[in-house]
Amino acid sequence: MEPVEYLEHTADVKFRARGHSLDELFENAGLALIGAMIDPSTVRVVESWPVEIEAESLEALLYEWLSEVLYLFEVELAVFSEFEVDLVGRGAGWRLSGRVGGERIDGERHLFETEVKAVTLHQFELRRDEAAGEEIWTAQVVLDI
Amino acid sequence: MLNRIDDYIFEVPMGHQKGMRVPGRIFISEKLLEQVEPGTLDQVANVATLPGIVNYSMAMPDAHLGYGFPIGGVAAFREGGGVISPGGVGFDINCGVRMLRTDLSAEDVAPMMTNLVEDLFHDVPSGVGAKGRLRVSEHELDEAFTRGAAWAVEAGFGVPEDLEHCEERGRMEGARPDQVSLKARKRGRPQLGTLGSGNHFLEIQRVDEVFDADLAKRFGLFRGQITVMIHCGSRGAGHQICTDHLQVLSRAVKKYGIELPDKQLACAPLGTPEAENYFGAMAAAANYAWANRQIISAWTREVFERYFPDARLDLVYDVAHNVAKVEEHEVDGSKERLYVHRKGATRAFGPGRPEIPAAYREVGQPVIIPGSMGTPSYVLCGSKGAMRLTFGSACHGAGRIMSRTQAKKTYAGKDVKEVLARRGIKVMATSPKMLAEEAPEVYKPSDEVVDVVHQLDIARKVARVVPLGVSKG
């Protein structure tokens, strides 16, 4: 299983994130989002920010989660390399409790390759596959650059 | 398969995709068409499935793959039965361009070019995480959302004449700050007066060719003249407003039973609360963007005055190229109010339209087409063909042909800077890696794109400007 895969796209960034569970999928999708802008290995974990989201569907929850990570990046002027997600199905909807770990942007050490403007719904996909008795969740996301 | 209608008009037929309500039309040359990905044609067809679309789902000659609408996409919707979609506007609401003309010649500024570019780079914040020089209050932020450039001028950024030379006079009616979320406000407040990153730029240019002497004179342009171009948008405020309303409209799609080929085309029927709330929030973002470009213009003038105390920098025009607007157009012989979406397309109204400033009304509006870093930009004049063919719309730029990943593999940022320096263009950027993404070669040649709109009489070529100094994110 490839946790994060970037695909060719002319104007924007398209990625696939995978996980053996929904929690892992969401964590890898967060990593893919930050990884589109900066090498996550250059980000030290010195602070963490909590994230709490509710949504009516899994797709909406993933969209809101990624948008929230981007929001924190911009208002906290921070980059992240650690993502912890706990998903709970709740009645008709879903709830996410999580945490992103990272540090404030340091212009000397953090070299940006691009800046993500937003998470789009274009070709947005979330699916579950089973291969050799193993469960694999995959999300496909296009980011606006 | 496409049907050829004319030398520069190609049709995406109704059969291209299930559910198309009208055919697609691409205004393009055969040569440029070869570079258009199949996915772009699918996106033109996707837009054609939206309820209430009038005449055609259109794409300009700089069309390329986007999300929702293609980049370069134009579509108009009837007030009765039509929809509004953030997929037809984009996240960077009212991303746009303005051009300032100076009374300086290239010879005047040559000795000071390094100082000018360095000062512009320093005085106009850009790049990832840049905070503005400005500290606006919550009340001032509301004013920017509601009154756009008009507020900025009152706050001391620029002169009232600037407003006359902005599309919508720099202030779109119907803005609803109450539809702007707390998150959008938190992103927007520290970023007012920042350029951003990516393809946004602040450029010192020289008019290197005049194609139409009369129109150039009308726009105050002459050969050898120094101009300044500002390309940016509504920053995080606009991005968040689109993100927020996209989710509301995704639910509206289910509520109103609309079938969509692409989730990014989420929309709501005009007249519903969801549609009206989005329009009000979008207008607020558009106004923020006009305030932003107005503030940056004022700082640009300060920099020039430092070295040329008597210099005048007058606004030629300011155009939006990501926006939805209510406009009157002729449909089947009668006038109709339409919601025209332009996603990576520029309004190009021809002579006589009341929306055009008095100084230009007789000839048509200035249409400003930014090049990419290192390539020429163009000034055109909106013409009759646009009113007949494209609901008064033209292209918006050169259009990407190389992906960002490929660009980074091919060009290291440092090389790009050196290559441009050898061509006499001084570039300052916060990130060398980002320069590679914007290397001139990743875009279609803008002259070919501009020739198509000229040939179709959508907009006539007035002047070409070349970059001398560039400040980027």
Side-chain angles (χ1 to χ4, degrees):
Chain A
M1 185 191 79
E2 206 176 345
V4 174
E5 178 193 359
Y6 293 98
L7 307 156
E8 273 296 308
H9 193 284
T10 318
D12 296 306
V13 167
K14 186 174 180 177
F15 70 78
R16 280 196 195 122
R18 298 183 182 84
H20 290 292
S21 64
L22 276 170
D23 292 355
E24 195 188 0
L25 167 73
F26 274 58
E27 289 162 3
N28 287 335
L31 193 65
L33 169 69
I34 294 296
M37 297 192 274
I38 182 173
D39 178 358
S41 72
T42 63
V43 179
R44 298 184 298 215
V45 180
V46 294
E47 264 186 87
S48 80
W49 289 262
V51 179
E52 302 282 336
I53 308 167
E54 283 183 44
E56 74 273 23
S57 69
L58 265 179
E59 283 84 1
L61 192 74
L62 177 62
Y63 183 81
E64 290 204 24
W65 155 248
L66 292 173
S67 298
E68 183 71 18
V69 172
L70 198 58
Y71 169 76
L72 287 172
F73 153 72
E74 211 172 282
V75 296
E76 299 293 326
L77 296 174
V79 276
F80 320 109
S81 56
E82 244 181 45
F83 300 85
E84 276 176 36
V85 166
D86 186 18
L87 289 192
V88 188
R90 241 177 60 143
W94 289 85
R95 184 185 161 77
L96 179 154
S97 290
R99 189 190 68 82
V100 295
E103 61 176 326
R104 308 281 169 170
I105 294 170
D106 172 346
E108 296 291 307
R109 281 189 301 113
H110 298 136
L111 302 175
F112 284 85
E113 299 194 9
T114 193
E115 185 176 18
V116 175
K117 282 183 188 160
V119 184
T120 81
L121 285 176
H122 178 57
Q123 298 179 339
F124 194 89
E125 276 176 27
L126 198 167
R127 65 165 203 270
R128 180 183 174 275
D129 295 306
E130 227 167 292
E134 205 183 37
E135 182 184 63
I136 308 246
W137 287 88
T138 306
Q140 177 175 282
V141 180
V142 175
L143 304 170
D144 181 21
I145 301 298
Chain B
M1 278 316 292
L2 296 180
N3 300 328
R4 187 173 199 145
I5 305 286
D6 200 335
D7 279 354
Y8 298 104
I9 306 178
F10 294 81
E11 185 185 68
V12 183
M14 296 286 282
H16 189 91
Q17 185 170 306
K18 201 174 128 246
M20 284 173 75
R21 295 167 195 261
V22 294
R25 277 212 166 171
I26 306 181
F27 301 89
I28 201 165
S29 65
E30 208 169 329
K31 192 173 162 205
L32 287 169
L33 186 60
E34 282 168 18
Q35 298 169 347
V36 173
E37 313 97 315
T40 308
L41 306 182
D42 297 340
Q43 290 183 338
V44 171
N46 287 346
V47 174
T49 69
L50 294 175
I53 184 166
V54 182
N55 292 356
Y56 307 103
S57 162
M58 297 183 279
M60 298 296 122
D62 51 342
H64 64 87
L65 200 61
Y67 47 87
F69 276 46
I71 309 299
V74 175
F77 298 86
R78 288 206 164 81
E79 215 171 14
V83 294
I84 187 164
S85 172
V89 174
F91 286 92
D92 198 0
I93 298 164
N94 189 7
C95 182
V97 203
R98 62 165 55 187
M99 181 189 245
L100 298 154
R101 59 179 177 236
T102 72
D103 48 6
L104 302 167
S105 71
E107 292 74 45
D108 295 334
V109 303
M112 291 297 149
M113 187 53 69
T114 300
N115 300 62
L116 287 168
V117 177
E118 281 175 2
D119 284 16
L120 287 173
F121 184 70
H122 179 264
D123 288 10
V124 179
S126 64
V128 178
K131 277 190 189 166
R133 283 162 63 183
L134 216 55
R135 294 287 167 267
V136 293
S137 67
E138 288 292 327
H139 172 70
E140 287 170 315
L141 183 62
D142 269 335
E143 288 281 87
F145 282 136
T146 315
R147 300 198 294 127
W151 163 76
V153 167
E154 268 173 41
F157 302 97
V159 291
E161 293 75 54
D162 293 341
L163 303 177
E164 179 62 25
H165 293 110
C166 284
E167 196 172 319
E168 298 284 314
R169 297 181 61 85
R171 175 198 182 174
M172 201 175 204
E173 293 295 329
R176 296 265 306 273
D178 62 304
Q179 291 301 320
V180 176
S181 70
L182 190 62
K183 280 186 181 172
R185 299 180 69 95
K186 275 186 94 164
R187 284 173 80 167
R189 210 171 136 185
Q191 292 180 349
L192 198 56
T194 64
L195 202 56
S197 62
N199 61 353
H200 294 162
F201 63 71
L202 172 49
E203 201 170 88
I204 301 172
Q205 312 164 321
R206 173 173 54 87
V207 177
D208 117 290
E209 192 160 354
V210 166
F211 303 102
D212 187 315
D214 291 341
L215 289 173
K217 198 174 169 204
R218 179 73 75 139
F219 293 168
L221 300 173
F222 57 88
R223 204 174 158 158
Q225 178 185 24
I226 291 292
T227 57
V228 176
M229 195 173 276
I230 299 165
H231 179 200
C232 64
S234 50
R235 311 285 290 110
H239 309 162
Q240 188 69 42
I241 284 169
C242 183
T243 297
D244 295 337
H245 285 265
L246 189 58
Q247 291 168 87
V248 175
L249 292 169
S250 296
R251 292 191 285 273
V253 165
K254 285 180 203 148
K255 180 174 158 188
Y256 299 110
I258 301 168
E259 265 189 57
L260 293 180
D262 177 0
K263 295 185 190 90
Q264 186 68 30
L265 291 175
C267 57
L270 292 165
T272 62
E274 292 90 344
E276 287 184 357
N277 292 345
Y278 168 66
F279 186 83
M282 182 211 67
N287 289 338
Y288 178 101
W290 272 308
N292 196 32
R293 291 197 286 275
Q294 185 64 35
I295 291 163
I296 292 172
S297 304
W299 290 337
T300 301
R301 285 173 173 148
E302 278 177 20
V303 168
F304 270 79
E305 279 160 16
R306 213 168 282 159
Y307 301 97
F308 304 96
D310 300 323
R312 281 186 64 93
L313 279 81
D314 293 328
L315 187 55
V316 177
Y317 207 47
D318 176 309
V319 295
H321 56 223
N322 276 356
V323 79
K325 294 168 76 167
V326 189
E327 295 169 359
E328 203 171 75
H329 288 280
E330 204 168 291
V331 183
D332 300 328
S334 57
K335 287 201 167 133
E336 267 195 69
R337 257 164 68 91
L338 304 175
Y339 280 69
V340 183
H341 293 59
R342 297 190 182 93
K343 165 90 165 289
T346 312
R347 197 188 70 180
F349 279 178
R353 289 285 301 213
E355 293 93 336
I356 305 177
Y360 307 139
R361 198 168 296 147
E362 229 183 313
V363 294
Q365 73 162 86
V367 178
I368 300 164
I369 309 296
S372 61
M373 176 178 58
T375 65
S377 300
Y378 285 83
V379 181
L380 293 85
C381 181
S383 194
K384 288 177 187 145
M387 309 320 292
R388 199 177 65 241
L389 295 169
T390 59
F391 296 116
S393 315
C395 54
H396 88 305
R400 273 192 102 86
I401 43 172
M402 190 189 287
S403 76
R404 291 171 196 274
T405 8
Q406 191 58 44
K408 267 180 268 190
K409 275 182 215 155
T410 317
Y411 312 99
K414 210 174 154 215
D415 292 344
V416 174
K417 201 169 170 170
E418 277 168 14
V419 167
L420 291 172
R422 278 202 289 275
R423 284 197 235 153
I425 306 168
K426 178 165 177 66
V427 180
M428 289 194 72
T430 52
S431 162
K433 279 191 170 179
M434 284 207 225
L435 273 187
E437 279 199 358
E438 298 297 323
E441 290 78 5
V442 310
Y443 290 93
K444 287 174 198 177
S446 35
D447 48 352
E448 285 176 27
V449 170
V450 162
D451 280 340
V452 173
V453 295
H454 181 83
Q455 291 298 333
L456 285 167
D457 197 35
I458 286 174
R460 290 153 67 191
K461 289 202 283 188
V462 177
R464 182 175 65 200
V465 296
V466 293
L468 299 175
V470 192
S471 169
K472 285 187 72 76

